[in-house]
Amino acid sequence: RKEVEQDPGPFNVPEGATVAFNCTYSNSASQSFFWYRQDCRKEPKLLMSVYSSGNEDGRFTAQLNRASQYISLLIRDSKLSDSATYLCVVRGGVNTGFQKLVFGTGTRLLVSP
Amino acid sequence: DVKVTQSSRYLVKRTGEKVFLECVQDMDHENMFWYRQDPGLGLRLIYFSYDVKMKEKGDIPEGYSVSREKKERFSLILESASTNQTSMYLCASSLARVYEQYFGPGTRLTVT
């Protein structure tokens, strides 16, 4: 079983739509959670951290459910520029070593006019 | 702005060649990382370093070595390149005890 699992998509949505991605992780001791964004042929960049209480940054909302071990990302009012691959990232807990981040394989989003 | 640069964007090498990939960061970050990214497998950690001359194996260190002689520079070495090392290689850096990693633009290596 992969440590971090995501639906690869692609999610095809029209501009203005709301879209949500989920991600599950296997290590219940995981301590930090992030969403990174990766544009085609570019490097990953941090989109947002995910806090236990949930957090929002403009049109983006991230939530964490520790009991079910999943993380979600909600994008409201999708823009063409949101088209990218979204990587779910988990930092291992105690005994998984140092500051290792585990990356999911990503969910691809395509926003069309 | 943090800047992480990698020596080449594209590289083509022959099987058996020794390959050097260099990464430089300009933000005085303590931690540096090398990943490879392959379709369907995502980013996988090869090696990381949390200080000059220090290195730790990641998930897939076989066939690779690293060198960190200066804080800003982290090199990945393929001792004898093989076709299964054809991949996108990404370098990243971060501050100590801060988990956000900043990535370089990547080197797409093809081994023929």
Side-chain angles (χ1 to χ4, degrees):
Chain A
R1 183 186 171 188
K2 289 182 181 177
E3 288 188 69
V4 178
E5 296 211 56
Q6 296 182 251
D7 181 342
F11 284 58
N12 289 286
V13 302
E15 265 188 298
T18 295
V19 62
F21 311 135
N22 285 337
C23 157
T24 58
Y25 61 95
S26 60
N27 185 349
S28 60
S30 297
Q31 297 185 350
S32 305
F33 308 89
F34 311 92
W35 284 102
Y36 274 68
R37 170 194 169 127
Q38 186 171 23
D39 292 312
C40 189
R41 299 186 185 281
K42 298 278 192 178
E43 71 273 21
K45 292 184 179 179
L46 180 68
L47 178 66
M48 59 197 302
S49 300
V50 185
Y51 304 120
S52 297
S53 55
N55 50 300
E56 192 173 307
D57 183 2
R59 298 182 293 107
F60 298 83
T61 300
Q63 294 201 312
L64 168 65
N65 184 319
R66 283 192 183 270
S68 302
Q69 292 180 212
Y70 79 79
I71 306 145
S72 64
L73 177 68
L74 181 79
I75 305 175
R76 289 182 300 279
D77 189 23
S78 299
K79 311 290 184 193
L80 295 176
S81 57
D82 293 334
S83 296
T85 297
Y86 291 84
L87 307 177
C88 176
V89 184
V90 173
R91 182 176 73 91
V94 177
N95 299 327
T96 60
F98 198 58
Q99 296 181 345
K100 177 183 170 184
L101 298 182
V102 180
F103 288 78
T105 52
T107 297
R108 193 167 170 216
L109 172 65
L110 297 172
V111 182
S112 53
Chain B
D1 252 6
V2 176
K3 194 166 183 186
V4 181
T5 56
Q6 295 185 226
S7 48
S8 307
R9 292 299 305 272
Y10 300 94
L11 209 53
V12 180
K13 294 291 181 180
R14 293 190 182 276
T15 301
E17 279 193 84
K18 192 168 186 175
V19 182
F20 294 88
L21 302 182
E22 292 221 312
C23 174
V24 178
Q25 49 92 5
D26 67 357
M27 284 301 291
D28 203 34
H29 283 177
E30 289 81 9
N31 305 325
M32 296 189 75
F33 307 82
W34 274 107
Y35 295 88
R36 63 177 283 177
Q37 186 174 29
D38 301 286
L41 296 176
L43 274 85
R44 292 180 291 165
L45 182 63
I46 304 171
Y47 268 97
F48 64 95
S49 168
Y50 52 89
D51 202 352
V52 175
K53 296 192 186 295
M54 305 301 289
K55 61 184 179 184
E56 294 282 345
K57 291 180 180 179
D59 297 318
I60 51 165
E62 298 79 18
Y64 303 95
S65 62
V66 290
S67 171
R68 193 163 179 204
E69 297 296 319
K70 294 185 177 181
K71 190 175 185 180
E72 68 270 18
R73 191 179 297 267
F74 191 34
S75 301
L76 179 70
I77 303 144
L78 286 66
E79 297 290 342
S80 177
S82 63
T83 54
N84 62 12
Q85 292 178 310
T86 291
S87 186
M88 170 67 83
Y89 289 88
L90 288 156
C91 175
S93 71
S94 71
L95 288 166
R97 293 178 296 283
V98 175
Y99 308 116
E100 177 180 359
Q101 292 181 15
Y102 294 86
F103 285 83
T107 296
R108 184 165 293 280
L109 172 67
T110 302
V111 182
T112 60

